[in-house]
Amino acid sequence: MDISLSPDQRAIADSVAKICAGFDDAYWTACDSAPRFPHEFHRAMADAGFLGITMPVELGGAGLGVAEAAIMMHEVARGGGGFAAASSIHLNIFGPHAIVVHGTDEQKERMLPPLISGEQKACFAVTEPNAGLDTTSIETFARRTNDGYMLCGRKIWTTTAQEADKILILARTAKKEDGRKPTDGMTLFYTDLDRSKVEVRRIPKMGRAAVDSNTVFIDDLFVPDEDRIGEEGKGFRYLLDSLNPERILIAAEAIGLGRDALARGAAYARERVVFGRPIGQNQGIQHPLAESWMALESAWWMCLRAASLYDSKQSCGAEANAAKFLGARAAFDACTRSMLTHGGMGYAKEYQVERLLRESMIPRIAPVTEQLILSFIAENVLDLPKSY
Ligand SMILES: Cc1cc2nc3c(=O)[nH]c(=O)nc-3n(C[C@H](O)[C@H](O)[C@H](O)COP(=O)(O)OP(=O)(O)OC[C@H]3O[C@@H](n4cnc5c(N)ncnc54)[C@H](O)[C@@H]3O)c2cc1C
């Protein structure tokens, strides 16, 4: 049993860390305050070939597994940019999975290379205001026309829709009550985000301002047949394939952000002198930070275990969910403790921890909440009755 990173995996972490070092705290503070999308960071990651890490080699990707992608995203979030850095490229890493697996050769050749090169950006629109976590209750409808579909509806929380050229969108092509199962009758499309038919309205929010979140109003958006991914009515099933990789990546991002916050807390605790000694000499300061190290480390190994199970085509639902839950909690706690270690300066933007703390709420909520993860584990691991 070998649970250490391979030399290649270490090399990925090192080269991502080098790129991140080119973007300092002032850069991320400016992106957060403006707010503005971190285009330069996105470009640097594209130029280094990282945006296609999991995509097929023949299309310009690196063809690597979710473990390598997790190692990369862990480093991205750890490098000072937190979730703003991670979310600026996150969709590229797991989003096109449905196209890789279920797209035609023509679609893959048309859709994937511009994402890998960073020439195009995409957003992913599943969540709706009236459906929430109950995805089968989405109302966005794609009505059949002669050579395609006409889409109408509303999405919420769509990340990067201000910047995106393309939208990966789940819509109903049949009513929920008409299917054999509630998950039937939903179809996945990857199409142009035509702003004459789609209004994108930014949601002012708590953190990660650099990467926009939006309400998206779709009014008669025509989608040609060639932009439908896979078969009509099977879109939800296609998305299920990418749920575990996404949870693993969010876990890795949360843990990376948590490690950054912890490192900042420990550095401050070593340097800040009060009552004639470094504050880090007090156990009341040391112990919470030490506890966070342990929590982050355990979440990281759960994350890598989930990734390794996924990459070896074994079932990993429990581990991927657990990694996401543990990673998000560990990150939030590390940020809170780091902020308290900083005393008053933790509340000042200059020390960055308040930015990380605001962002650390994201992985606790998205793409799935803690409650739903606990219900998943209760039902699927502990064999308890489904609660909803
Ligand atoms: C910053 C950010 C970025 C996001 N990016 C995207 C994106 O790019 N694309 C996208 O499609 N979505 C995105 N989301 C949406 C995100 O996935 C949802 O917010 C999340 O899935 C929760 O759904 P909801 O907000 O509708 O919560 P709701 O479904 O309204 O739930 C509200 C609360 O009730 C709890 N709850 C509901 N039902 C149950 C139950 N049966 N048992 C126990 N508790 C329950 C939930 O756990 C939660 O705490 C993003 C969200 C955020 C905050």
Side-chain angles (χ1 to χ4, degrees), residues 124-127 132-133 157-159 362 365-367 369 371-372 388:
F124 184 38
V126 174
T127 308
L133 286 157
W157 287 115
T158 313
T159 298
I362 296 174
I365 299 168
T369 58
Q371 290 91 336
L372 273 263
Y388 60 95

Side-chain angles (χ1 to χ4, degrees), residues 22 42 91 218 255 296 340 382 387:
H42 179 272
L91 183 80
I218 306 151
I255 297 160
L296 289 163
L340 295 173
L382 303 178
S387 61

Side-chain angles (χ1 to χ4, degrees), residues 344-358:
M345 293 323 284
Y347 214 64
K349 289 202 180 285
E350 182 188 348
Y351 282 82
Q352 309 298 324
V353 183
E354 63 80 36
R355 171 170 59 83
L356 300 177
L357 175 63
R358 285 185 280 118

Side-chain angles (χ1 to χ4, degrees), residues 189-208:
F189 302 95
Y190 184 78
T191 196
D192 288 341
L193 204 168
D194 173 357
R195 287 170 198 274
S196 68
K197 303 289 179 186
V198 179
E199 188 197 335
V200 177
R201 221 179 275 168
R202 188 188 273 264
I203 302 172
K205 62 186 193 297
M206 176 178 175
R208 205 204 60 185

Side-chain angles (χ1 to χ4, degrees), residues 320-344:
N321 276 283
K324 200 300 260 190
F325 181 99
L326 296 171
R329 280 273 175 104
F332 176 77
D333 289 344
C335 290
T336 309
R337 289 167 181 160
S338 178
M339 186 182 227
L340 295 173
T341 298
H342 281 77

